[in-house]
Amino acid sequence: MTVSEAKQRLVSWCNAQVGTHEGANNYNKYAADPRIMQLLGRNAQNQPWCDIFTDEAFIDCFGLQIGAAMTYQQIGSGSALCRTSAQFFKSAGAWFRL
């Protein structure tokens, strides 16, 4: 797969999620995915969806191993918090601002 194809896959996946909403108490379908629980090492249901959405996008498009690597997380000890996930990118030298 080329970089262009990977980008298109990710954008297409995200576009297909338009209209998805959280339920009561921040319930969301992304945290219900067993691969997310495997990545995080715990259940992240009832957490805000934003960080989990990003993890799910990469995992659904590229698989658990590659998705974890692309989000700079270790399987079993990932994060469902934006500030912690941002630190993974910063520690890897992959954080930048436009």
Side-chain angles (χ1 to χ4, degrees):
M1 173 183 306
T2 67
V3 171
S4 180
E5 290 168 336
K7 288 178 182 178
Q8 185 56 50
R9 180 182 287 186
L10 191 59
V11 168
S12 293
W13 186 92
C14 290
N15 284 335
Q17 306 308 306
V18 171
T20 301
H21 299 279
E22 287 181 329
N25 298 316
N26 289 337
Y27 177 87
N28 67 85
K29 70 178 188 175
Y30 310 114
D33 183 336
R35 298 171 301 177
I36 291 295
M37 289 185 241
Q38 189 177 356
L39 173 69
L40 302 178
R42 64 183 174 78
N43 183 345
Q45 199 55 267
N46 304 112
Q47 298 295 315
W49 67 272
C50 49
D51 190 82
I52 299 167
F53 171 86
T54 302
D55 296 338
E56 178 73 1
F58 282 93
I59 289 170
D60 216 37
C61 288
F62 308 110
L64 179 59
Q65 297 290 329
I66 294 172
M70 293 175 86
T71 57
Y72 300 98
Q73 298 182 77
Q74 296 295 316
I75 294 173
S77 62
S79 174
L81 299 172
C82 290
R83 68 179 171 271
T84 303
S85 292
Q87 191 58 50
F88 294 151
F89 281 82
K90 290 174 183 177
S91 295
W95 181 264
F96 66 94
R97 293 183 177 266
L98 296 175

